[in-house]
Amino acid sequence: MTAIGIGQAPKRKEDVRFLTGRGRYVSDIKLHNMAAAFFVRSPHAHAKIGAIDSSAALEAEGVVAVFTGADLEAAKVGGLPVGWGITGSDGEPMKEPFYPVLAVGKVRHVGDPVAVVVAETPEQAQAAADLVMVDYEPLTPVVSMLDALKPEAPLVHEDVPQNLCCDWAMGDEAAVEEARQKAAHIARIELVNNRLIGNPMEPRAAIAEYDRARDHYTLYTTSQFPHVVRFLMGGLVLNIPQHKLRVVAPDVGGGFGVKQFHYAEEAALTFIAGKLCRPVKWVSERSEGFVSDRQGRDHVTEAELMLDENGKFLGLWVSTLANMGGYLSTFGPNIPTNLYAPLLSGVYKLPAIFCNVKVVFTNTLPVDAYRGAGRPEATFVLERLVDVAAIETGIDKIEIRRRNMISKEEYPYQTPVVVEYDSGDPMACLDKAIEVADIAGFEARRTEAARRGKYRGLGLSTYVEACGLAPSRLAGQMGARGGLYESATVRVHPTSHVSVMIGTHNHGQGHETTFAQIVSEQLGVPFEDIDIVFGDTDRVQFGMGTYGSRSLVVGGAALSKAGDKVIVKGRKIAAHLLEASFEDIAFEKGEFKVAGTDRAKTFAEIAGAAYVPHDYPLETLEPGLEEQAYYDPINFTYPGGAHFCEVEIDPDSGEIELCAYTAVDDVGTIINPMIVEGQLHGGIVQGIGQALFEHGIYDEETGQLMSGSFMDYCMPRADNLPSITISPQVTACAHTPMGVKGCGECGTIGSPAAVINAVVDALKPLGITHVDMPATPNRLWAIIRNAQSTSIAAE
């Protein structure tokens, strides 16, 4: 057994239990006397609720109880809260209508939960749910954001005029107008950032139980942040004291943001468990997830880029409509505002930026964070606009980016939209990507494709991301209801084995491996002797969970700080044992040494001695070897990169082939190269999914979800994908303890624009300058036919 530290690539520790079927997911948990729940959901997008008759259901076999919104209302159950609100450009807070756990009076989207049937088995609960008679009075739904903002539009919430949650802005509008007046050229674009449905491998699930003897609740849930669920649900919805509520998120099969929020099902089950005094379990079916999980993206944007006569950027103007759906989700209003506008500068020197976002209610599923969360949307707007500017000015797409890029020497770089980039070298990323992708040979490949009757295109996207969602001070100014720090406890046992309790959550990121590598490097402890504990509010100190590529950036930093404290305590113990001064004790490669001598104690000896304090000076040296640390970063971290994509399009069918994809990403110090490459691969594939395949579509007349299964919602498959080349470029972060920046969302940020830019480049001979996502074969075929018809008519 040896130390495995930073920069090495051991196989993931957690994979042994997953590959051998020993993972423990919520659906695997079986408790004594556990009942099953099934949610009755609205078939209407917009309707008044009249009477709810549950008498037939209550008479059905195995049924224990039926609960409706009226039951929760009578018990004074609160609404689902927003964890991060926003303030409008007029200084007024956003409109935050009540979000009931079970609908009361009105439903606002298909799938809105109306009642819960509890029975002895899942089958009995589902069968009885069909017997619950709900008297609906259908209302006209509003699906399109443009329609929702019309004065005559139906109101999703009666207390929100024109369905406008908030009219929000960031930047200097006057400076952008000045840039517009000076501009030699203005590039313009209108685009849609399509709605996405996350579909993690494991559907959501929850189990709630109530211990009457202790007046104590436990919730097992598929969550990315159990402590935040405990805070929001216990403190703001059910009024359960924090010490009387335990939330456990065991193994979770993927999240992608979908499992980042506090959901109605969690609160409903916990309430019901308390009323029935028995455990209650709910596991979502895949089709149910389509109409109950939070969805992502869904923007409509107009943007303008002002340039001088030399192609230098003068200003950027962006106007976006952002869909919130029927209710405000936990972080919903924050995603298209505070996590969107600050990234519109990208890797460029843009002197003036102004962004206006209208946040709109519609009769669709609530929208919130999905992998990337605001940053892919910003990058797509900017990188599509830069390509349009290149086409219209006749400047090569690589050259126009070079002329406007922030140079390495200009960091730290203050953007005009709040954030200051601490470090980076986007030019080095671009240069490396050009070499790795063999851009010099592209025209020959295009010519060869043309001989085969195919259109070949090359797309480029550069990007910068803000990771860590920090600092807490800035987040508080932006409307967050909590801090964005992270916590870690390092417990060294008498045998020198180490347990780490950390406030982040591992649901596919490889934390049990990466965090063990950090500890192994820092303390010299064998990799196999380190255990990572997460996801249980009774075992782990308060932490903020996993989202926004923050786990390594913020959680890893807290872990490093806790490890430093362990070393300091170990030096004190070593100084006592070796009869030396504290200042003379150095720690290196797992040994505490007296400087200038051969006297030393191993880490294992110090760990054992920490728990056998026979002659300690107890007034200055306590027994034990366990330390806790919290880390609140002083800034975001800013990974970035350059992505190239090559595609071929068959003009007869519109079929698109991804021929090559190259990604050069700067994610700072790399702890485990294998895990980083896996994260980048996964992110790129999800971005490709948005660009070419995925689209959450609602019928504009009925509000019905038209893409409510995998028959209609297309996910990318292995045979749709090219070989993806990953080549890292490292610039250490200037303010995190290990120089890390984060990598979990980089792929989804760089890839959509790279793919669509490649598609547009392929169709350039036809005069096509923009294609909205997803660029499906049917859409491309229609665009090509229309362009060809226009060309023939012109002749």
Side-chain angles (χ1 to χ4, degrees):
M1 295 190 296
T2 58
I4 296 177
I6 293 172
Q8 296 178 262
K11 293 180 179 179
R12 300 196 331 166
K13 296 180 74 170
E14 49 269 69
D15 286 349
V16 173
R17 71 174 184 276
F18 296 145
L19 294 174
T20 56
R22 289 180 286 165
R24 186 172 183 259
Y25 300 89
V26 171
S27 60
D28 295 324
I29 298 172
K30 296 177 175 61
L31 303 178
H32 175 67
N33 197 33
M34 185 166 65
F38 190 89
F39 284 82
V40 178
R41 299 185 183 276
S42 170
H44 302 283
H46 198 195
K48 290 182 179 179
I49 302 173
I52 299 178
D53 183 359
S54 58
S55 57
L58 287 167
E59 294 297 321
E61 181 182 0
V63 171
V64 177
V66 177
F67 293 86
T68 67
D71 297 314
L72 275 66
E73 189 176 47
K76 300 190 184 322
V77 170
L80 300 178
V82 174
W84 193 329
I86 57 174
T87 300
S89 53
D90 59 359
E92 293 296 316
M94 67 182 190
K95 303 289 193 303
E96 186 180 354
F98 186 74
Y99 187 172
V101 173
L102 297 177
V104 177
K106 185 175 173 179
V107 292
R108 293 178 170 84
H109 63 81
V110 170
D112 208 352
V114 175
V116 188
V117 176
V118 183
E120 298 297 339
T121 70
E123 294 78 14
Q124 291 170 338
Q126 184 170 359
D130 291 336
L131 302 177
V132 176
M133 296 292 106
V134 183
D135 180 18
Y136 292 107
E137 180 186 335
L139 302 171
T140 302
V142 59
V143 173
S144 159
M145 288 184 283
L146 291 172
D147 289 343
L149 292 172
K150 292 177 180 177
E152 68 276 15
L155 295 179
V156 180
H157 297 273
E158 284 66 22
D159 54 347
V160 181
Q162 287 189 260
N163 298 306
L164 182 61
C165 169
C166 191
D167 191 339
W168 182 93
M170 177 177 283
D172 190 334
E173 190 172 16
V176 170
E177 182 57 34
E178 184 179 345
R180 184 180 281 114
Q181 298 303 319
K182 292 180 180 178
H185 182 81
I186 300 177
R188 296 178 173 88
I189 197 168
E190 296 182 12
L191 54 81
V192 173
N193 207 290
N194 43 319
R195 183 181 283 236
L196 301 178
I197 302 173
N199 290 307
M201 186 178 295
E202 176 206 25
R204 290 190 299 115
I207 300 171
E209 66 173 332
Y210 174 65
D211 183 342
R212 184 160 46 181
R214 296 192 299 137
D215 187 26
H216 186 277
Y217 294 83
T218 300
L219 171 69
Y220 301 90
T221 183
T222 49
S223 177
Q224 299 176 212
F225 58 3
H227 282 96
V228 179
V229 169
R230 184 181 69 170
F231 168 70
L232 295 175
M233 186 181 78
L236 302 177
V237 182
L238 299 179
N239 196 30
I240 300 172
Q242 299 288 281
H243 69 292
K244 294 289 186 179
L245 174 61
R246 177 190 182 195
V247 177
V248 181
D251 289 326
V252 172
F256 312 121
V258 172
K259 297 173 182 173
Q260 182 182 330
F261 323 113
H262 172 38
Y263 280 96
E265 294 86 357
E266 295 167 327
L269 260 66
T270 305
F271 171 82
I272 290 169
K275 292 298 180 183
L276 300 180
C277 293
R278 64 182 292 190
V280 184
K281 181 177 186 176
W282 165 78
V283 179
S284 174
E285 297 179 341
R286 181 63 67 183
S287 58
E288 186 179 14
F290 271 94
V291 294
S292 63
D293 291 354
R294 299 294 180 263
Q295 298 178 353
R297 314 290 194 249
D298 204 348
H299 290 191
V300 176
T301 296
E302 298 178 23
E304 297 179 355
L305 179 64
M306 302 95 194
L307 303 90
D308 69 13
E309 61 278 5
N310 297 313
K312 291 289 188 72
F313 300 161
L314 299 177
L316 175 68
W317 174 87
V318 176
S319 177
T320 292
L321 300 181
N323 202 336
M324 289 292 99
Y327 302 98
L328 293 182
S329 180
T330 308
F331 299 119
N334 183 57
I335 305 305
T337 52
N338 290 318
L339 296 184
Y340 172 65
L343 275 300
L344 286 170
S345 190
V347 297
Y348 306 116
K349 291 176 281 190
L350 259 163
I353 298 175
F354 178 75
C355 177
N356 171 244
V357 180
K358 288 181 172 60
V359 181
V360 184
F361 287 111
T362 64
N363 291 117
T364 62
L365 266 290
V367 175
D368 209 313
Y370 176 72
R371 194 172 188 174
R375 288 91 84 196
E377 297 93 311
T379 297
F380 188 72
V381 171
L382 182 60
E383 289 299 300
R384 282 295 299 120
L385 198 49
V386 171
D387 255 33
V388 170
I391 292 169
E392 293 178 353
T393 61
I395 303 172
D396 176 76
K397 59 191 163 195
I398 294 175
E399 174 58 26
I400 199 170
R401 286 172 167 84
R402 286 189 189 279
R403 291 185 191 182
N404 292 281
M405 259 183 193
I406 306 163
S407 68
K408 183 179 181 180
E409 293 71 30
E410 291 174 292
Y411 287 87
Y413 181 82
Q414 177 64 55
T415 74
V417 274
V418 178
V419 297
E420 181 183 84
Y421 306 152
D422 69 292
S423 61
D425 192 353
M427 196 74 76
C429 289
L430 179 58
D431 288 343
K432 189 171 185 179
I434 290 170
E435 178 184 353
V436 174
D438 184 25
I439 301 306
F442 171 72
E443 288 303 328
R445 296 191 291 276
R446 192 203 293 266
T447 301
E448 191 276 330
R451 290 195 200 101
R452 293 183 281 109
K454 302 291 182 67
Y455 294 122
R456 191 168 182 121
L458 174 68
L460 163 62
S461 173
T462 60
Y463 75 93
V464 68
E465 180 190 1
C467 291
L469 297 190
S472 294
R473 171 188 50 78
L474 179 59
Q477 292 171 359
M478 290 180 169
R481 282 177 166 160
L484 295 177
Y485 53 83
E486 198 44 81
S487 65
T489 297
V490 175
R491 178 178 298 158
V492 182
H493 299 281
T495 57
S496 79
H497 293 76
V498 176
S499 294
V500 171
M501 280 64 71
I502 194 155
T504 60
H505 191 277
N506 179 30
H507 41 273
Q509 296 85 351
H511 294 173
E512 293 175 55
T513 302
T514 303
F515 289 151
Q517 287 181 249
I518 293 171
V519 174
S520 186
E521 168 100 3
Q522 190 174 23
L523 302 183
V525 176
F527 178 73
E528 299 84 354
D529 291 351
I530 302 162
D531 186 32
I532 309 299
V533 180
F534 59 90
D536 186 336
T537 61
D538 271 13
R539 296 185 66 193
V540 178
Q541 68 289 333
F542 194 95
M544 297 302 296
T546 291
Y547 50 88
S549 300
R550 71 185 301 274
S551 293
L552 181 60
V553 171
V554 190
L559 176 57
S560 179
K561 283 184 65 178
D564 287 340
K565 290 183 177 182
V566 167
I567 292 171
V568 169
K569 176 72 175 291
R571 288 174 60 204
K572 291 179 180 178
I573 297 171
H576 173 71
L577 295 177
L578 295 169
E579 299 180 337
S581 68
F582 171 78
E583 291 75 15
D584 287 338
I585 299 295
F587 181 70
E588 184 179 353
K589 294 182 179 180
E591 281 194 327
F592 294 89
K593 299 180 179 179
V594 179
T597 74
D598 60 357
R599 290 188 295 146
K601 292 285 185 182
T602 65
F603 185 85
E605 289 175 313
I606 294 299
Y611 293 91
V612 190
H614 291 316
D615 57 349
Y616 277 15
L618 295 179
E619 66 278 3
T620 59
L621 189 59
E622 295 178 351
L625 193 53
E626 176 177 328
E627 298 291 344
Q628 185 176 108
Y630 287 78
Y631 178 75
D632 194 348
I634 61 173
N635 193 1
F636 295 91
T637 60
Y638 300 97
H643 290 199
F644 278 104
C645 178
E646 289 189 38
V647 303
E648 283 187 6
I649 299 173
D650 184 336
D652 295 327
S653 65
E655 185 176 355
I656 182 169
E657 178 186 355
L658 289 163
C659 304
Y661 197 100
T662 300
V664 174
D665 300 280
D666 176 5
V667 300
T669 302
I670 295 175
I671 306 299
N672 186 310
M674 177 190 69
I675 287 177
V676 167
E677 186 167 343
Q679 287 288 306
L680 294 172
H681 272 223
I684 289 167
V685 171
Q686 284 184 273
I688 290 171
Q690 175 172 17
L692 300 181
F693 304 104
E694 302 180 48
H695 196 185
I697 302 173
Y698 290 84
D699 183 277
E700 295 209 359
E701 292 186 5
T702 65
Q704 294 294 322
L705 179 64
M706 305 300 290
S707 51
S709 75
F710 289 140
M711 292 294 289
D712 301 297
Y713 188 87
C714 184
M715 303 278 280
R717 302 179 306 182
D719 60 353
N720 300 131
L721 304 170
S723 176
I724 298 172
T725 302
I726 303 293
S727 184
Q729 175 74 29
V730 177
T731 305
C733 176
H735 62 83
T736 55
M738 294 169 288
V740 297
K741 294 183 178 181
C743 70
E745 295 165 299
C746 291
T748 53
I749 295 168
S751 55
V755 173
I756 295 299
N757 282 344
V759 170
V760 173
D761 185 59
L763 301 178
K764 183 169 59 175
L766 299 174
I768 293 165
T769 59
H770 180 64
V771 176
D772 269 324
M773 300 185 290
T776 61
N778 183 59
R779 175 173 283 176
L780 292 179
W781 182 86
I783 289 171
I784 291 168
R785 286 292 172 272
N786 183 62
Q788 290 173 338
S789 299
T790 302
S791 176
I792 292 170
E795 293 174 1

